[in-house]
Amino acid sequence: MTAVNQETTPAFIEKKRMKAGLLLDIRKNKLLYVMLLPVLLYYVVFHYAPMYGAMIAFKDFSPRLGIWGSDWVGFAHFKDFFTGPYFWRTIKNTVLISLYELIFGFPAPIILALLLNEIKNSIFKRTVQTVTYMPHFISLVVICGIVKDFTSSEGLINDVIAWFGGERSTFLLEPELFRSVYVSSGIWQHIGWGTIIYLAALTGIDPEQYEAARMDGAGRWKQMLHVTIPGIMPTIVILLILEMGRMMNVGFEKIILLYNPSTYETADVVSSYVYRVGLQDFNYSFSSAVGLFNSAVNFTLLVFSNWLSRRLNDTSLW
């Protein structure tokens, strides 16, 4: 049999061509790659290197013994979490809050962007944009302070309710109201910032498509349905996939700043539970196991939503 020369195979030639093309691109765009370097270093140092520490989820970690010196316990911490009293409560609250944000929070910036796109007065349009995205730059601690003041029994919202004849109540002491307060305040804080991406996508739609739609007799509503929304649909799908990959990552900072023992039943999520167990009870291994499980679920959701999107409309992250 004749031996095959690896250097003449199509795969080897293609690999060599791609390598030469990459080196040529690096030489032509050296400054761009230098600008990319800090971002790569950030992810390597703060995201990939710490993954080494995830090993303590499978050990009975002791700071005195270190990661390698601590005893190996396998999946014991995962089993304790799955059979513990807080498993279903934290999973349920995390999923429900994420679903509320997906149902009400995700479409909000899309709707605002579509409305702003219909405004012809540029001064009014820019004013609305500025007013709506300013809360995004306010510190989360300040935002939570504002929410607490507005929802207190003597706050602005209760003043309005009392003016219409309703009864005053402290919203953040009512377990059934916590999710509504959390999600609505998040929409108020981030809706303007989210519209920036969609407004940028709207500028990429060919104006000739609107002209053709008008010639066919389409009004503003029909143009939005058949030109505007399809034009930004790839952007919507990509952001939806990313949102699905964060479903189990309900921000613990805001939860911790707003919740209290009376609302644990509806407010305690996986991330806040990890915070209490890991940093307050110093049970590092158990909290790492819970966090690793949470990340695994997020990764699974991201891969599944990307696969489903690619099958349905040929739009995906990879």
PDB file of all heavy atoms in Angstrom, residues 278-295:
ATOM      1  N   GLY A 278     -22.020  30.297  51.695  1.00  0.00           N
ATOM      2  CA  GLY A 278     -20.584  30.388  51.470  1.00  0.00           C
ATOM      3  C   GLY A 278     -19.887  31.458  52.288  1.00  0.00           C
ATOM      4  O   GLY A 278     -18.844  31.195  52.898  1.00  0.00           O
ATOM      5  N   LEU A 279     -20.442  32.680  52.299  1.00  0.00           N
ATOM      6  CA  LEU A 279     -19.748  33.797  52.946  1.00  0.00           C
ATOM      7  C   LEU A 279     -20.211  34.054  54.374  1.00  0.00           C
ATOM      8  O   LEU A 279     -19.436  34.567  55.184  1.00  0.00           O
ATOM      9  CB  LEU A 279     -19.945  35.071  52.112  1.00  0.00           C
ATOM     10  CG  LEU A 279     -19.308  35.046  50.721  1.00  0.00           C
ATOM     11  CD1 LEU A 279     -19.520  36.378  50.014  1.00  0.00           C
ATOM     12  CD2 LEU A 279     -17.819  34.723  50.805  1.00  0.00           C
ATOM     13  N   GLN A 280     -21.434  33.711  54.702  1.00  0.00           N
ATOM     14  CA  GLN A 280     -21.910  33.933  56.069  1.00  0.00           C
ATOM     15  C   GLN A 280     -21.701  32.704  56.952  1.00  0.00           C
ATOM     16  O   GLN A 280     -21.367  32.835  58.124  1.00  0.00           O
ATOM     17  CB  GLN A 280     -23.387  34.326  56.050  1.00  0.00           C
ATOM     18  CG  GLN A 280     -23.633  35.685  55.398  1.00  0.00           C
ATOM     19  CD  GLN A 280     -25.088  36.120  55.455  1.00  0.00           C
ATOM     20  OE1 GLN A 280     -25.976  35.328  55.781  1.00  0.00           O
ATOM     21  NE2 GLN A 280     -25.343  37.366  55.159  1.00  0.00           N
ATOM     22  N   ASP A 281     -21.909  31.504  56.376  1.00  0.00           N
ATOM     23  CA  ASP A 281     -21.709  30.280  57.148  1.00  0.00           C
ATOM     24  C   ASP A 281     -20.341  29.648  56.907  1.00  0.00           C
ATOM     25  O   ASP A 281     -20.025  28.614  57.519  1.00  0.00           O
ATOM     26  CB  ASP A 281     -22.797  29.257  56.790  1.00  0.00           C
ATOM     27  CG  ASP A 281     -24.194  29.755  57.141  1.00  0.00           C
ATOM     28  OD1 ASP A 281     -24.299  30.699  57.944  1.00  0.00           O
ATOM     29  OD2 ASP A 281     -25.175  29.205  56.600  1.00  0.00           O
ATOM     30  N   PHE A 282     -19.539  30.224  55.990  1.00  0.00           N
ATOM     31  CA  PHE A 282     -18.181  29.753  55.692  1.00  0.00           C
ATOM     32  C   PHE A 282     -18.145  28.298  55.210  1.00  0.00           C
ATOM     33  O   PHE A 282     -17.157  27.591  55.409  1.00  0.00           O
ATOM     34  CB  PHE A 282     -17.262  29.909  56.909  1.00  0.00           C
ATOM     35  CG  PHE A 282     -17.203  31.304  57.445  1.00  0.00           C
ATOM     36  CD1 PHE A 282     -17.855  31.632  58.622  1.00  0.00           C
ATOM     37  CD2 PHE A 282     -16.523  32.302  56.768  1.00  0.00           C
ATOM     38  CE1 PHE A 282     -17.820  32.925  59.118  1.00  0.00           C
ATOM     39  CE2 PHE A 282     -16.481  33.595  57.256  1.00  0.00           C
ATOM     40  CZ  PHE A 282     -17.138  33.909  58.426  1.00  0.00           C
ATOM     41  N   ASN A 283     -19.214  27.866  54.557  1.00  0.00           N
ATOM     42  CA  ASN A 283     -19.252  26.515  53.993  1.00  0.00           C
ATOM     43  C   ASN A 283     -18.894  26.623  52.513  1.00  0.00           C
ATOM     44  O   ASN A 283     -19.753  26.556  51.638  1.00  0.00           O
ATOM     45  CB  ASN A 283     -20.643  25.904  54.189  1.00  0.00           C
ATOM     46  CG  ASN A 283     -20.642  24.402  53.954  1.00  0.00           C
ATOM     47  OD1 ASN A 283     -19.709  23.854  53.361  1.00  0.00           O
ATOM     48  ND2 ASN A 283     -21.685  23.738  54.418  1.00  0.00           N
ATOM     49  N   TYR A 284     -17.618  26.785  52.248  1.00  0.00           N
ATOM     50  CA  TYR A 284     -17.157  27.098  50.900  1.00  0.00           C
ATOM     51  C   TYR A 284     -17.414  25.964  49.914  1.00  0.00           C
ATOM     52  O   TYR A 284     -17.804  26.202  48.766  1.00  0.00           O
ATOM     53  CB  TYR A 284     -15.668  27.436  50.924  1.00  0.00           C
ATOM     54  CG  TYR A 284     -15.318  28.586  51.833  1.00  0.00           C
ATOM     55  CD1 TYR A 284     -14.519  28.397  52.948  1.00  0.00           C
ATOM     56  CD2 TYR A 284     -15.798  29.864  51.584  1.00  0.00           C
ATOM     57  CE1 TYR A 284     -14.198  29.449  53.797  1.00  0.00           C
ATOM     58  CE2 TYR A 284     -15.484  30.931  52.421  1.00  0.00           C
ATOM     59  CZ  TYR A 284     -14.685  30.705  53.536  1.00  0.00           C
ATOM     60  OH  TYR A 284     -14.385  31.743  54.366  1.00  0.00           O
ATOM     61  N   SER A 285     -17.183  24.742  50.338  1.00  0.00           N
ATOM     62  CA  SER A 285     -17.342  23.613  49.418  1.00  0.00           C
ATOM     63  C   SER A 285     -18.797  23.438  49.009  1.00  0.00           C
ATOM     64  O   SER A 285     -19.113  23.230  47.832  1.00  0.00           O
ATOM     65  CB  SER A 285     -16.829  22.325  50.071  1.00  0.00           C
ATOM     66  OG  SER A 285     -15.435  22.372  50.235  1.00  0.00           O
ATOM     67  N   PHE A 286     -19.705  23.523  49.971  1.00  0.00           N
ATOM     68  CA  PHE A 286     -21.119  23.353  49.664  1.00  0.00           C
ATOM     69  C   PHE A 286     -21.605  24.459  48.739  1.00  0.00           C
ATOM     70  O   PHE A 286     -22.321  24.196  47.760  1.00  0.00           O
ATOM     71  CB  PHE A 286     -21.940  23.354  50.960  1.00  0.00           C
ATOM     72  CG  PHE A 286     -23.408  23.132  50.754  1.00  0.00           C
ATOM     73  CD1 PHE A 286     -23.911  21.865  50.553  1.00  0.00           C
ATOM     74  CD2 PHE A 286     -24.282  24.203  50.755  1.00  0.00           C
ATOM     75  CE1 PHE A 286     -25.270  21.659  50.356  1.00  0.00           C
ATOM     76  CE2 PHE A 286     -25.639  24.019  50.557  1.00  0.00           C
ATOM     77  CZ  PHE A 286     -26.132  22.731  50.360  1.00  0.00           C
ATOM     78  N   SER A 287     -21.228  25.708  49.021  1.00  0.00           N
ATOM     79  CA  SER A 287     -21.664  26.822  48.174  1.00  0.00           C
ATOM     80  C   SER A 287     -21.066  26.714  46.773  1.00  0.00           C
ATOM     81  O   SER A 287     -21.713  27.062  45.782  1.00  0.00           O
ATOM     82  CB  SER A 287     -21.279  28.162  48.813  1.00  0.00           C
ATOM     83  OG  SER A 287     -19.877  28.282  48.939  1.00  0.00           O
ATOM     84  N   SER A 288     -19.831  26.206  46.662  1.00  0.00           N
ATOM     85  CA  SER A 288     -19.219  26.012  45.346  1.00  0.00           C
ATOM     86  C   SER A 288     -19.965  24.938  44.560  1.00  0.00           C
ATOM     87  O   SER A 288     -20.134  25.059  43.342  1.00  0.00           O
ATOM     88  CB  SER A 288     -17.752  25.618  45.493  1.00  0.00           C
ATOM     89  OG  SER A 288     -17.012  26.660  46.073  1.00  0.00           O
ATOM     90  N   ALA A 289     -20.405  23.902  45.235  1.00  0.00           N
ATOM     91  CA  ALA A 289     -21.172  22.853  44.574  1.00  0.00           C
ATOM     92  C   ALA A 289     -22.493  23.396  44.040  1.00  0.00           C
ATOM     93  O   ALA A 289     -22.892  23.100  42.904  1.00  0.00           O
ATOM     94  CB  ALA A 289     -21.428  21.695  45.546  1.00  0.00           C
ATOM     95  N   VAL A 290     -23.164  24.220  44.836  1.00  0.00           N
ATOM     96  CA  VAL A 290     -24.424  24.818  44.404  1.00  0.00           C
ATOM     97  C   VAL A 290     -24.188  25.751  43.224  1.00  0.00           C
ATOM     98  O   VAL A 290     -24.937  25.750  42.240  1.00  0.00           O
ATOM     99  CB  VAL A 290     -25.100  25.569  45.571  1.00  0.00           C
ATOM    100  CG1 VAL A 290     -26.387  26.239  45.093  1.00  0.00           C
ATOM    101  CG2 VAL A 290     -25.400  24.624  46.717  1.00  0.00           C
ATOM    102  N   GLY A 291     -23.136  26.562  43.306  1.00  0.00           N
ATOM    103  CA  GLY A 291     -22.823  27.472  42.212  1.00  0.00           C
ATOM    104  C   GLY A 291     -22.438  26.740  40.941  1.00  0.00           C
ATOM    105  O   GLY A 291     -22.806  27.163  39.832  1.00  0.00           O
ATOM    106  N   LEU A 292     -21.710  25.625  41.075  1.00  0.00           N
ATOM    107  CA  LEU A 292     -21.318  24.839  39.903  1.00  0.00           C
ATOM    108  C   LEU A 292     -22.540  24.200  39.246  1.00  0.00           C
ATOM    109  O   LEU A 292     -22.658  24.177  38.009  1.00  0.00           O
ATOM    110  CB  LEU A 292     -20.323  23.754  40.319  1.00  0.00           C
ATOM    111  CG  LEU A 292     -19.702  22.937  39.189  1.00  0.00           C
ATOM    112  CD1 LEU A 292     -18.951  23.831  38.210  1.00  0.00           C
ATOM    113  CD2 LEU A 292     -18.757  21.879  39.761  1.00  0.00           C
ATOM    114  N   PHE A 293     -23.467  23.718  40.067  1.00  0.00           N
ATOM    115  CA  PHE A 293     -24.721  23.178  39.525  1.00  0.00           C
ATOM    116  C   PHE A 293     -25.493  24.256  38.778  1.00  0.00           C
ATOM    117  O   PHE A 293     -26.023  24.024  37.683  1.00  0.00           O
ATOM    118  CB  PHE A 293     -25.570  22.612  40.676  1.00  0.00           C
ATOM    119  CG  PHE A 293     -27.013  22.405  40.316  1.00  0.00           C
ATOM    120  CD1 PHE A 293     -27.406  21.331  39.532  1.00  0.00           C
ATOM    121  CD2 PHE A 293     -27.982  23.295  40.763  1.00  0.00           C
ATOM    122  CE1 PHE A 293     -28.736  21.150  39.197  1.00  0.00           C
ATOM    123  CE2 PHE A 293     -29.312  23.119  40.432  1.00  0.00           C
ATOM    124  CZ  PHE A 293     -29.701  22.043  39.652  1.00  0.00           C
ATOM    125  N   ASN A 294     -25.530  25.449  39.341  1.00  0.00           N
ATOM    126  CA  ASN A 294     -26.230  26.569  38.709  1.00  0.00           C
ATOM    127  C   ASN A 294     -25.607  26.904  37.349  1.00  0.00           C
ATOM    128  O   ASN A 294     -26.311  27.123  36.358  1.00  0.00           O
ATOM    129  CB  ASN A 294     -26.172  27.783  39.633  1.00  0.00           C
ATOM    130  CG  ASN A 294     -27.230  28.809  39.320  1.00  0.00           C
ATOM    131  OD1 ASN A 294     -28.391  28.459  39.118  1.00  0.00           O
ATOM    132  ND2 ASN A 294     -26.858  30.070  39.289  1.00  0.00           N
ATOM    133  N   SER A 295     -24.284  26.938  37.289  1.00  0.00           N
ATOM    134  CA  SER A 295     -23.592  27.229  36.035  1.00  0.00           C
ATOM    135  C   SER A 295     -23.827  26.139  35.001  1.00  0.00           C
ATOM    136  O   SER A 295     -23.963  26.426  33.799  1.00  0.00           O
ATOM    137  CB  SER A 295     -22.090  27.386  36.295  1.00  0.00           C
ATOM    138  OG  SER A 295     -21.836  28.450  37.190  1.00  0.00           O
TER     139      SER A 295
END
